[in-house]
Amino acid sequence: MAKKKKAGKESEGSNIRTPIVCVLGHVDHGKTSLLDWIRGSSVVSGEAGAITQHIGATLVPFDAIGRMSGALQNLQINVPGLLFIDTPGHHAFTTLRARGGALADMAILVVDINEGFQPQTIEALEILRTYRTPFVVAATKIDRIHGWRVNKNAPFKKTFETQGDRAKQIFENKTYELIGKLSEMDFACERFDRVSDFARNVAIVPVSGVTGEGVPDLLMMLIGLAQRYMTEALAVSVDGPGAGTVLEVKEERGLGMTLDVILYDGTISVGEEIAVATADGVINQKVRSLLKPRPMSEILVEERFERVKTVTAAAGIKVSAPHLEGVIAGSPLRVVRTPADRDEINEEVRREVEEIHVNLAEEGIFIKADTIGALEALAKELQDHEIGIMRAEVGPVSRHDLIEVGTIKDKLNAVLLAFNTPILPDALEMLKDPTCRATVFTGDIIYKLIDDYTEWVEEQQRRIEAARFEHIILPAKITILEGCTFRQSNPAVVGVRILGGKLRNGVNLVRRDGKRIGQLKTIQIRGENVSEADAGAEVAISIDGPTIGRQINETDELYAEIPEHHVKVLEKEMLPTLKQGMKEVLEEYTSMRRKEHPFWGK
Ligand SMILES: Nc1nc2c(ncn2[C@@H]2O[C@H](COP(=O)(O)OP(=O)(O)OP(=O)(O)O)[C@@H](O)[C@H]2O)c(=O)[nH]1
């Protein structure tokens, strides 16, 4: 699997660095529980090489994994361990970027085996596809399968052997459902112990984040992925200049403003110069100190952090330096080794922050999100839905944004989608004003945001159509009832039956020979004025123009006169919405007209 990330310069010190792992999946499917179990049980596995807490991440060294899984003795292991990003979810995944790609080298996609695929599972898969990130599927909560016998911490095979036939059957069915769903999305996959070609198939590992069953297998699969397919991508020059991503900008007592950074390449040391981005441009500062969390056992020590001189990728580290106020979370951090490199590196940092991979269209909507990664993920989904984007920006929704959106002519495009980013108070105020033309949709789930927007568009289109069709004169055919002439003329008042279509006030009436006889003034049902009447109804109408017994007679049939351009709309656009009876009247009417002029209304 190709990785976009570049390794550092080749040098004598080349080494394989710790792969970075991120956990993704639908809400409540068990991401946090699984991470906790991995972290917790490796603490318990104790002694040498147990986990080390990083800033924003946890390093699970390989020997701890080995002890947990037991089955690894025969494997050649070249990676030191796995660095798990502590914050699960695809928002963290898209925020943490490294040189235009995803920071995480690999991912665990968590799916509750009992619930199967959910909207955010699909969203996570699309994100993994976009970033071409290798991943394994953790099918969680196997212990909830009806009749499951728990074997705490056991590898999958072991626990599966002890299950009864019924539990096994349910499990197999659920697994096949998962495989089916993944293949619908063009991911070939198999249960991990049945995969023969890991380059072609995504492995599904059944696990429980509560009992730890299957977790050893999951870790083994991750190590395998890293080893087999990423060796090249993970090769770093240990002593090359450090490159990382800013997770958070935080004020710490006694230290001032600090940066929590995931270092993914090279080395960073105290005293070195760094380049990071602020909202006003790139700044350069000297590293004052590098800090790691203290191990749990020493937590009572006055200072919460331990100072180190040098850190090598991959690692989570706190960086203290002067004047870090204004640094953007998500900004790249680069070490500048010599002043000669400064301009070039600063330019690279600037470009990385500004480079938003979104294809903009001449016509379309506005989108905003809290991070570049989130913005790109939203843009990608919109493009897949063929929704044009005119502008894409990071940040909260401002009054200024709404004014600009409001200038877009097409109402359906005068829209702003705000993904995971707030609306500022003055913009909120503006939205309350009924004259504000901008429509804003907010949300923190991409598919939901897009659904809300498309549903709104459909509703608007229905309304626009309805408003346009409202003025179209509908077909109607009536007959004057015998003995029901109540007034001969000025206006003529007669009883009629509507033979077909819908009769509306104000229409002109024509005879079967096409000659107009007058205008319909009022319709009454049992003495009450109404504006329209449907087929089958018997009503009294007044007509301005004719005299009964002269231009028209009792038992005559009349039509509502339909102008030629209305016939075009009726035949070309409204036909599917017309009832059968109305269509028949329309046909009679047009054939009457077309006797003389064959192309009338065409
Ligand atoms: N029985 C069982 N329960 C689980 C398992 N994994 C998670 N749960 C439970 O499911 C619920 C949600 O689990 P979390 O780990 O918080 O899920 P999450 O995906 O991190 O949730 P969000 O952070 O809200 O997206 C909790 O009540 C867990 O105890 C599992 O493997 N087995």
Side-chain angles (χ1 to χ4, degrees):
M1 276 175 234
K3 214 40 227 178
K4 284 172 250 156
K5 203 176 300 168
K6 285 179 288 184
K9 278 185 210 138
E10 285 302 320
S11 87
E12 293 292 314
S14 263
N15 207 333
I16 305 264
R17 72 157 167 81
T18 316
I20 301 170
V21 186
C22 200
V23 180
L24 284 77
H26 192 76
V27 174
D28 277 352
H29 276 198
K31 302 179 287 294
T32 309
S33 306
L34 186 60
L35 257 173
D36 283 350
W37 184 274
I38 292 169
R39 292 183 292 210
S41 52
S42 49
V43 170
V44 174
S45 78
E47 304 140 41
I51 71 148
T52 37
Q53 200 58 47
H54 282 228
I55 297 284
T58 306
L59 178 74
V60 183
F62 178 66
D63 54 359
I65 296 173
R67 237 169 297 124
M68 270 191 275
S69 61
L72 292 168
Q73 278 82 350
N74 309 332
L75 287 172
Q76 232 0 80
I77 305 299
N78 292 328
V79 290
L82 300 171
L83 187 73
F84 287 87
I85 302 285
D86 282 344
T87 319
H90 39 278
H91 191 59
F93 182 90
T94 54
T95 305
L96 296 173
R97 296 153 58 85
R99 296 192 181 137
L103 175 68
D105 301 295
M106 316 191 279
I108 302 174
L109 175 67
V110 166
V111 189
D112 178 342
I113 194 162
N114 306 291
E115 282 205 0
F117 262 47
Q118 296 296 322
Q120 278 178 297
T121 320
I122 297 169
E123 204 164 298
L125 274 169
E126 290 298 356
I127 289 169
L128 294 172
R129 196 199 313 267
T130 304
Y131 285 99
R132 290 150 101 222
T133 305
F135 66 98
V136 294
V137 175
T140 54
K141 307 197 188 182
I142 52 169
D143 60 298
R144 283 213 182 146
I145 287 173
H146 195 70
W148 189 267
R149 292 178 192 138
V150 169
N151 295 278
K152 236 179 164 194
N153 228 356
F156 171 74
K157 256 204 160 132
K158 232 173 176 173
T159 188
F160 192 62
E161 278 165 10
T162 70
Q163 304 305 323
D165 289 344
R166 178 106 180 87
K168 277 184 177 163
Q169 192 54 49
I170 299 174
F171 169 84
E172 293 284 8
N173 293 346
K174 297 276 182 196
T175 309
Y176 279 121
E177 273 174 37
L178 269 189
I179 294 174
K181 287 281 179 200
L182 277 153
S183 69
E184 273 174 31
M185 291 186 68
D186 294 330
F187 288 100
C189 60
E190 230 346 318
R191 201 170 86 191
F192 74 103
D193 51 331
R194 295 173 179 157
V195 173
S196 53
D197 182 352
F198 284 90
R200 281 167 196 273
N201 283 288
V202 174
I204 298 179
V205 189
V207 297
S208 165
V210 165
T211 69
E213 290 164 287
V215 176
D217 309 283
L218 180 70
L219 293 170
M220 220 162 64
M221 284 296 116
L222 288 173
I223 294 275
L225 262 193
Q227 278 226 296
R228 290 192 190 92
Y229 307 111
M230 303 170 64
T231 313
E232 207 181 303
L234 295 173
V236 292
S237 144
V238 171
D239 36 71
T245 301
V246 176
L247 269 183
E248 252 185 280
V249 185
K250 260 193 198 159
E251 173 127 32
E252 296 285 356
R253 198 157 29 94
L255 293 168
M257 214 46 105
T258 63
L259 306 180
D260 288 359
V261 173
I262 301 282
L263 189 77
Y264 61 81
D265 205 351
T267 298
I268 182 169
S269 301
V270 171
E272 283 188 317
E273 182 178 319
I274 51 167
V276 277
T278 71
D280 300 323
V282 178
I283 57 165
N284 297 98
Q285 295 294 346
K286 281 238 156 60
V287 176
R288 200 154 46 194
S289 44
L290 294 171
L291 306 130
K292 294 198 318 193
R294 281 192 184 277
M296 293 291 215
S297 53
E298 296 170 31
I299 208 78
L300 292 175
V301 180
E302 182 74 8
E303 203 163 303
R304 286 162 55 216
F305 303 106
E306 189 180 334
R307 285 163 197 270
V308 288
K309 287 245 159 324
T310 287
V311 179
T312 299
I317 193 84
K318 189 179 274 296
V319 176
S320 155
H323 304 301
L324 297 175
E325 303 79 21
V327 173
I328 306 168
S331 153
L333 174 143
R334 303 281 301 277
V335 169
V336 182
R337 286 262 161 96
T338 57
D341 294 340
R342 186 183 298 136
D343 286 350
E344 194 185 323
I345 291 177
N346 283 2
E347 177 56 22
E348 277 177 26
V349 170
R350 193 190 62 74
R351 235 183 295 135
E352 265 181 57
V353 172
E354 283 183 2
E355 212 172 68
I356 301 177
H357 301 272
V358 174
N359 295 327
L360 297 180
E362 278 191 9
E363 284 185 5
I365 59 171
F366 273 38
I367 59 172
K368 294 203 96 169
D370 59 338
T371 66
I372 297 175
L375 196 64
E376 281 181 4
L378 173 62
K380 166 88 178 37
E381 280 295 306
L382 286 168
Q383 269 155 17
D384 288 350
H385 283 76
E386 294 179 357
I387 298 170
I389 303 160
M390 196 157 98
R391 189 180 301 176
E393 280 171 4
V394 173
V397 178
S398 68
R399 196 181 151 81
H400 181 75
D401 292 329
L402 298 187
I403 293 171
E404 291 220 5
V405 170
T407 62
I408 297 174
K409 267 212 191 109
D410 181 353
K411 187 173 186 295
L412 300 182
N413 279 337
V415 168
L416 192 153
L417 302 193
F419 176 49
N420 224 20
T421 191
I423 303 177
L424 296 175
D426 55 348
L428 266 180
E429 241 353 90
M430 190 173 161
L431 280 173
K432 286 187 199 148
D433 183 346
T435 61
C436 174
R437 280 195 76 244
T439 306
V440 176
F441 293 89
T442 57
D444 55 7
I445 301 175
I446 293 180
Y447 85 89
K448 180 86 177 31
L449 195 57
I450 297 180
D451 273 2
D452 287 350
Y453 170 62
T454 46
E455 270 169 30
W456 176 83
V457 167
E458 281 164 18
E459 175 60 27
Q460 295 301 312
Q461 280 167 338
R462 269 196 296 274
R463 280 194 200 178
I464 291 168
E465 268 184 20
R468 204 158 77 81
F469 293 159
E470 209 162 86
H471 304 294
I472 297 293
I473 292 176
L474 295 175
K477 181 183 182 184
I478 59 175
T479 180
I480 301 174
L481 297 172
E482 202 164 9
C484 285
T485 303
F486 307 118
R487 186 172 159 152
Q488 216 131 18
S489 64
N490 288 327
V493 179
V494 287
V496 300
R497 178 182 302 122
I498 295 140
L499 298 175
K502 189 187 275 293
L503 186 69
R504 279 187 177 156
N505 247 339
V507 293
N508 288 321
L509 293 172
V510 296
R511 292 196 308 224
R512 292 184 66 97
D513 60 4
K515 193 157 170 51
R516 183 190 294 168
I517 51 101
Q519 192 184 26
L520 179 64
K521 280 297 182 197
T522 55
I523 308 175
Q524 282 195 342
I525 298 181
R526 284 183 287 279
E528 296 275 335
N529 280 331
V530 292
S531 59
E532 59 181 42
D534 285 309
E538 292 190 350
V539 297
I541 61 171
S542 64
I543 316 167
D544 238 2
T547 302
I548 308 298
R550 198 177 298 170
Q551 292 90 347
I552 46 171
N553 294 297
E554 289 181 358
T555 75
D556 274 0
E557 289 178 349
L558 305 172
Y559 292 98
E561 183 181 34
I562 312 173
E564 195 170 1
H565 64 279
H566 285 208
V567 166
K568 279 185 193 166
V569 176
L570 282 163
E571 286 194 330
K572 295 204 169 74
E573 296 176 54
M574 291 175 69
L575 215 49
T577 67
L578 300 185
K579 291 205 179 111
Q580 187 54 32
M582 189 155 328
K583 277 189 205 165
E584 284 167 11
V585 177
L586 180 64
E587 251 180 61
E588 278 182 33
Y589 185 79
T590 51
S591 34
M592 168 187 91
R593 292 286 182 198
R594 286 169 188 159
K595 259 189 212 143
E596 267 183 58
H597 306 284
F599 296 104
W600 188 87
K602 286 195 171 173

